[in-house]
Amino acid sequence: SILRGPAILKRATELGIPASLEDAEWLMAHPQHIPTKHNGDLLVFTGTIRESGTIQTVPLLSHVSGQWKLYWTQLIGVWTPSFKLVLK
């Protein structure tokens, strides 16, 4: 399904304990623990939220040019099925 804004955080908590920036950094150091089936996905870690004014961002891992990279993405807009919530 497609989620927007605050619905993302609500859904993440309903599913379990959301993974955090610390978890994303651990996976960056140990990419062999990320199944290759997720290479086309955007892995989202809603357990850490940065706020700047009214903008909220969360860590995101994306597989680019054969390696995982850490980015921050806004919680506004539309999230498609390629966004995968990471839980502990």
Side-chain angles (χ1 to χ4, degrees), residues 31 34-43 62-64 66 68:
I34 303 173
T36 55
K37 70 179 183 177
H38 292 299
N39 285 358
D41 295 330
L42 303 168
L43 307 180
S62 177
H63 196 256
V64 179
W68 288 94

Side-chain angles (χ1 to χ4, degrees), residues 9-85:
L9 295 176
K10 181 178 182 223
R11 182 70 178 138
T13 342
E14 288 171 354
L15 291 171
I17 300 170
S20 66
L21 174 60
E22 181 179 291
D23 301 306
E25 290 171 337
W26 187 88
L27 284 171
M28 290 279 298
H30 304 91
Q32 69 275 17
H33 292 282
I34 303 173
T36 55
K37 70 179 183 177
H38 292 299
N39 285 358
D41 295 330
L42 303 168
L43 307 180
V44 182
F45 299 79
T46 56
T48 300
I49 301 171
R50 281 189 186 167
E51 293 189 27
S52 177
T54 60
I55 304 295
Q56 293 180 317
T57 59
V58 293
L60 170 133
L61 289 182
S62 177
H63 196 256
V64 179
S65 301
Q67 62 183 349
W68 288 94
K69 298 196 182 263
L70 178 64
Y71 300 97
W72 289 82
T73 188
Q74 293 184 15
L75 286 176
I76 59 174
V78 175
W79 283 22
T80 64
S82 63
F83 287 83
K84 305 294 186 202
L85 294 172

